[in-house]
Structure formats: C-alpha cells, structure tokens
C-alpha cells in the first residue's frame, strides 16, 4: 500500500472567489430535498444546516442517467450537462432527488466529459443516497473545528458537508482516483472551500495529516483497516460499512477511541450501506431469476416463518455465518440464492397457514438459516454486536459472553483491493 505524502503548504491563501449564481429552481429543489430527509429521519442540527447550503449545482455540474433497466447489458447512459438549456430541468431533478447520482464513466477525466449517450462500460463513481449520507453524519455528530477525514471522497458530497460543518481547513478528502480529487477540489474552490485533498489508497488514509476527530468511509470494507484506527484521535469517532461478498445485509461499524486511547467498537445490521472498495465483487442474483421461476425445487415444511426484513441483527449474523448468500428483494416470496453453489431456496406460505420451502442445488440453505436463527434467539435476539480488535489486528464480532453468544471472526488485516498512486493537493 502506498503512503500519501503531503506537499508544502501554500504561502498565502488567496481570497475566495465570488460564489457562482445559483438557479432559483435549484434552491427550491434543495429545500424540498432537505424537507423530505427531515420527515423520514432525525437530522443533527449542524447536518441539517449544511444540507440547506449544499450547492450540488456547483459540485456536480454533469450527471449520468441510465437509459435501460438495471441488469440489462450493455448499459446505456445519457450524460446531462447542467449548463445546457435542454438538460437543466432533468439535471436538477436528478441532483436533488436524494438518489445516488452517477458522475463518472469508465474512469474518465471529468473535465473532458461531453453531453450525450454512452453505451457499454460501467459507472466508476456515484454519490451515496442522500438519506444514508445524512444518517452517517448525524450519527457521527461532527462539530466546528474538529478534524474530519473523508475516506473514498468520490463526488465530494460528504466532503462539502464536512467543510460546511467543521471548517474547510479541518477537512481532508482521500480518493484513489486523481481525476475525482482534482475535480472536487476545483469545484469546492469555486465555493470558497479549500480542504486538503489526497490522491491515494483509502485503506491507508492520510497519516501525515492526522489524527482526526471524525472519520467517515464512503466505501465498505470487510474488516477495519488498522491505519484508520491509528489515525483516529482520542475522543474521536469513526463510521464505516462492513460488508461480505453479499450486497443484501450490510453492517455499520461505529468505532470510538477513549481519551485514554482505548478503542471501543460496535457493529449493527442496517438497511443499507456503502458499496465495497474496488476489487471486492458482490455476488449477484440476476443470473438465477429466470431459472428460479422455471425450476420447481424439492419441497419440505418448516416451522420457521420468513424473518422480518427489519430483524437486522439476525440478517447480519446470517451474512457472516452462512456466507455467499444474497436475497432477491424483487421476488414475491423470500428467496435466498447461493450463486457460487448454484443453489437457492424459496419460502412460501401454505394453504393451511404454515410455511413450505422449495430448494434447488446441493447447498441446504434453509437448514443453515434455521440453525443460525435458533442460535440468534438463544442469544437474546441481539440487534447489535461488540467488535473486539486484538493486538495482532484480529477482529471478532460477538453478541456477548458465554456459550450462547453469537460470534464470528472478520477477515484478517483488510487491505486495499487495488493499490493507488500517492499524492496530495490542498
């Protein structure tokens, strides 16, 4: 892994440029977006004020819109240019919809984008869903003057919010893509915001600029990278998504370091989380949908009704203890698939009010689910878990102590899947 090296600081900070004029409809759209977010979840007051000042029209001047359904290949996208009259209304709707916004195709330079349609390839950068960004920041509770590290800064949305809350001089953005770092810093400069920008491996962080009171990872990891823990300041808080190869049941890790330097961490299941770092491929249910509809499986009755989707503590445990599964959330009945073993199970209600499974493949998926569910019930139906980090970096997740505890180990020493060049800009 490469170590980013800071450049010499500027001799003097130039005065901020005049703020770009904002289209009136953009201000209205932003206020409506914040109102929707506030109606759906509690917002930290500082986060709410930052969202009301979030100039996405400057930060994301162009955005891609998918033209074919997800899963249809090759992909087709249209690039909207906010400066073009024909694109402006749709562009603003996309920016302030609250949904993820796609900004980069095939790792392109953002200053060379041209409006129009592209076919094939893939999106290599997109913003997080705004409700998730707001939830992460609300839980992190950043404050004015605190040092803030945005890992995997991508589109710069989290970085801009952190600048507005903590002060830009206290914020450091890290991303492996030099084109993203360059574009985000230039756009933030237009708004008078000049955070530090590091092009480098997000797993390494920014050791030369730390420690940090607040750290937020915009990409999911399989275990906590040790450099992050080293760069967390006493009294600091770190949030990240923990993932496996399944996209279905993410976990959110909250790490706090006491004033004495002791690390305390918890892990809980959540509805959604960030995508994994590049190089970690999720399993997919798409290739099995037609086969599941066409191939009847082996039937047996079960006393276990499909667990509620909101039983996040159970689903998180299943994700780690029964690895390689993914859920098809578009299916009518609970459908769990193990793509690598070419196996699946569908759980359906019976006429008499019971439940029946239909299984295909060698893997006894529902037997495994029943076993983990029984362990989870015996452990007291935990909704969150303690995350312990040993001196050698080994990480264990446990619901408590004793023989009834639900527990598992995370992969040893999580490392970046794709190494990145080092460098820094401020």
């Amino acid at each position: 892994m490469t170590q980013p090296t800071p450049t010499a600081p500027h001799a003097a900070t130039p005065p901020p440029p005049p703020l770009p004029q904002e289209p009136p409809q953009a201000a209205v759209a932003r206020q409506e977006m914040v109102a929707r977010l506030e109606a759906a979840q509690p917002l930290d007051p500082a986060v709410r004020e930052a969202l009301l000042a979030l100039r996405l029209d400057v930060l994301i001047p162009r955005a891609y819109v998918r033209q074919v359904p997800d899963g249809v290949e090759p992909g087709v996208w249209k690039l909207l240019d906010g400066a073009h009259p024909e694109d402006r209304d749709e562009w603003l709707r996309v920016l302030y919809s609250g949904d993820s916004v796609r900004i980069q195709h095939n790792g392109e330079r953002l200053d060379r984008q041209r409006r129009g349609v592209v076919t094939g390839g893939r999106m290599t950068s997109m913003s997080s869903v705004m409700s998730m960004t707001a939830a992460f920041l609300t839980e992190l509770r950043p404050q004015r003057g605190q040092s803030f590290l945005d890992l995997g800064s991508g589109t710069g949305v989290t970085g801009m919010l952190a600048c507005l809350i903590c002060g830009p001089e206290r914020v450091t953005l890290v991303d492996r893509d030099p084109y993203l770092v360059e574009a985000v810093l230039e756009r933030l400069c237009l708004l008078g915001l000049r955070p530090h920008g590091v092009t480098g491996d997000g797993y390494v962080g920014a050791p030369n600029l730390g420690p940090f009171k607040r750290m937020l990872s915009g990409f999911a990891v399989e275990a906590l990278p040790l450099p992050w823990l080293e760069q967390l300041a006493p009294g600091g808080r770190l949030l990240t998504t923990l993932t496996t190869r399944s996209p279905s049941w993410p976990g959110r890790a909250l790490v706090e370091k006491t004033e004495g330097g002791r690390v305390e961490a918890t892990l809980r299941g959540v509805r959604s989380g960030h995508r994994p770092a590049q190089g970690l491929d999720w399993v997919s249910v798409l290739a099995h949908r037609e086969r599941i509809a066409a191939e009847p499986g082996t039937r047996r009755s079960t006393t276990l009704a499909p667990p509620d989707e909101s039983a996040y503590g159970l689903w998180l445990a299943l994700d780690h203890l029964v690895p390689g599964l993914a859920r098809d959330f578009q299916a009518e009945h609970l459908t769990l698939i193990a793509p690598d073993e070419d196996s699946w199970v569908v759980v359906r209600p019976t006429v008499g009010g019971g439940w029946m499974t239909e299984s295909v493949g060698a893997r006894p998926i529902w037997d495994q689910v029943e076993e983990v569910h029984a362990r989870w019930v015996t452990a007291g139906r935990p909704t969150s878990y303690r995350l312990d980090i040993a001196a050698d970096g080994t990480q264990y997740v446990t619901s408590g102590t004793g023989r009834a505890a639900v527990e598992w180990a995370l992969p040893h020493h999580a490392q970046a899947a794709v190494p990145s060049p080092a460098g820094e800009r401020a």
Side-chain angles (χ1 to χ4, degrees):
M1 293 185 290
T2 54
Q3 296 282 349
T5 353
T7 57
H10 294 302
T13 302
L19 293 180
Q21 186 174 2
E22 182 178 25
Q25 61 269 42
V28 172
R30 182 175 64 249
Q31 292 168 1
E32 292 175 346
M33 179 189 72
V34 176
R36 292 193 301 272
L37 292 172
E38 200 168 22
Q41 62 182 335
L43 295 178
D44 179 85
V47 174
R48 180 181 182 276
E49 291 304 309
L51 286 165
L52 287 171
L54 183 63
R55 291 289 301 275
L56 292 178
D57 60 303
V58 176
L59 195 57
I60 307 178
R62 292 171 294 277
Y64 284 98
V65 178
R66 192 173 176 94
Q67 302 296 289
V68 296
D70 287 338
V72 174
E73 298 295 340
V76 180
W77 299 270
K78 178 175 68 172
L79 181 64
L80 303 173
D81 188 339
H84 197 285
E86 294 180 8
D87 292 349
R88 190 166 297 131
D89 289 345
E90 185 179 4
W91 166 71
L92 286 173
R93 285 196 300 272
V94 169
L95 292 192
Y96 292 104
S97 66
D99 296 334
S100 178
V101 181
R102 304 173 178 92
I103 71 159
Q104 186 191 50
H105 177 259
N106 278 357
E108 67 193 338
R109 289 187 63 100
L110 273 62
D111 58 358
R112 296 181 183 175
Q113 292 174 319
R114 297 292 181 266
R115 67 182 293 265
V117 175
V118 297
T119 302
R122 63 189 182 94
M123 287 293 126
T124 47
S125 183
M126 60 190 73
S127 67
S128 299
V129 175
M130 194 62 72
S131 59
M132 186 166 61
T133 299
F136 267 83
L137 286 172
T138 291
E139 185 170 357
L140 203 58
R141 298 198 304 273
Q143 299 174 21
R144 193 73 183 176
Q146 288 182 332
S147 51
F148 190 106
L149 180 60
D150 181 14
L151 295 153
S153 51
T155 60
V157 173
T158 297
M160 181 175 178
L161 292 169
C163 286
L164 294 170
I165 297 170
C166 301
E169 71 284 354
R170 304 293 291 156
V171 175
T172 299
L173 315 180
V174 179
D175 200 279
R176 64 181 303 274
D177 189 322
Y179 300 147
L180 290 176
V181 174
E182 179 180 16
V184 168
L185 291 179
E186 290 177 351
R187 293 165 184 178
L188 290 175
C189 186
L190 294 174
L191 297 168
L193 304 173
R194 295 183 174 86
H196 299 279
V198 173
T199 300
D201 185 345
Y203 282 77
V204 173
N208 296 310
L209 298 171
F212 301 93
K213 281 286 189 180
R214 295 293 183 267
M215 297 173 63
L216 179 58
S217 168
F219 59 92
V221 294
E222 294 181 282
L224 294 171
L226 298 185
W228 294 3
L229 305 180
E230 295 165 359
Q231 292 167 50
L232 186 62
R237 293 164 69 89
L238 158 67
L239 272 176
T240 187
T241 299
L242 280 182
T243 190
T244 64
R245 291 189 60 227
S246 172
S248 302
W249 305 291
R252 186 176 300 173
L254 170 63
V255 183
E256 298 180 281
K257 183 176 284 189
T258 68
E259 292 296 342
R262 186 176 71 255
V263 172
E264 300 175 345
T266 57
L267 178 65
R268 71 180 191 276
V270 289
R271 181 178 181 180
S272 59
H274 291 109
R275 298 178 65 85
Q278 292 190 30
L280 176 62
D281 294 327
W282 275 339
V283 295
S284 173
V285 303
L286 296 177
H288 284 80
R289 279 181 175 160
E290 291 186 6
R291 292 180 57 196
I292 291 172
E295 297 181 31
T298 302
R299 298 183 175 185
R300 77 165 175 88
S301 62
T302 176
T303 58
L304 176 60
D308 192 272
E309 289 185 18
S310 63
Y312 298 127
L314 169 63
W315 293 115
L316 180 64
L318 281 166
D319 187 29
H320 290 267
L321 295 172
V322 187
L325 294 182
R327 177 172 180 174
D328 187 352
F329 285 96
Q330 295 185 22
E332 180 182 2
H333 304 292
L334 176 63
T335 301
L336 304 178
I337 306 167
D340 290 348
E341 289 91 355
D342 198 29
S343 302
W344 64 82
V345 64
V346 180
V347 186
R348 305 178 189 273
T350 64
V351 176
W355 297 95
M356 174 188 65
T357 67
E358 294 182 3
S359 300
V360 172
R363 182 168 174 178
I365 296 174
W366 197 248
D367 292 353
Q368 295 172 336
V369 172
E370 289 174 324
E371 179 185 352
V372 173
H373 180 269
R375 291 176 57 187
W376 178 71
V377 170
T378 302
R381 301 176 183 267
T383 58
S384 63
Y385 300 84
R386 189 177 73 241
L387 175 52
D388 294 327
I389 304 161
D392 65 353
T394 305
Q395 300 175 29
Y396 296 96
V397 179
T398 179
S399 63
T401 58
R403 297 178 62 183
V406 176
E407 57 187 13
W408 62 88
L410 297 179
H412 194 59
H413 294 310
Q415 294 185 358
V418 181
S420 306
E424 194 212 343
R425 251 185 91 185

